[in-house]
Amino acid sequence: MYRWETVQAVTAQRVFGIIRTAGPDEAVAAAEAVLNAGLNAVEIALTTPRALTALAHLTETRQGALIGAGTVIDAAAARAAVEAGARFLVSPSLHPGVIRTGHRYGVPVFPGVSTPTEMVHALEEGADALKLFPASALSPGWLRDVRAALPQAPVLPTGGVTIDNAPEWIAAGAVACGMGSALTSGGARASGERVSTLLRTLAGAR
């Protein structure tokens, strides 16, 4: 896939999963639970011990899914994630080196931003989409107002997004939401039910 095709695929369902666990086995189990429930894209946070092990395993066994790396905060981590098979990179902050490294290998990058100034800077650096983080400190109304001035900004609210408020973020102009424990907590059955419910809800969101 070209970068733009990957971005379209990651955001097509308007939500992607964030996996952050105590180890690689737990990460694989959590990712498989939401993927089996119908989610197409997940990121494995590099704060997970041996995260690259989980990432490499999932990219080999779930080749139809979009497996990315999250919490990528420097160029070295970006390169390691790409070598492990990451299809996209997500960061909590804006690091031009991460963007350059991802793009060097054809991998889209979603850096973290929290102000209009950071959003414009990220776009200037070539960001493929913007992770609005932490979304819990802001609101869908805030995003709606900012997008009135920056309608070209593809925004991904992450951090505090819930099943209840995800449709509000989409209605405010977000292209997709990143969700972690709000989707993955409680085991495979509970997370699977939440994914199914959320996908039905977001399919009708405007």
Side-chain angles (χ1 to χ4, degrees), residues 19-32 35 42-46 48-62 67-69 81 84-86:
I19 308 299
R20 180 177 283 107
T21 63
D25 293 340
E26 296 92 334
V28 169
E32 288 183 336
L35 292 171
V42 299
E43 66 169 79
I44 306 300
L46 296 190
T48 297
R50 297 177 62 205
L52 295 179
T53 299
L55 177 59
H57 175 82
L58 287 164
T59 57
E60 290 178 4
T61 60
R62 306 296 298 243
I67 312 298

Side-chain angles (χ1 to χ4, degrees), residues 124-151:
E124 291 172 343
E125 293 290 347
D128 298 280
L130 310 176
K131 172 180 174 175
L132 184 63
F133 180 79
S136 58
L138 302 167
S139 70
W142 181 93
L143 177 60
R144 185 178 294 107
D145 290 343
V146 170
R147 290 198 74 258
L150 299 174

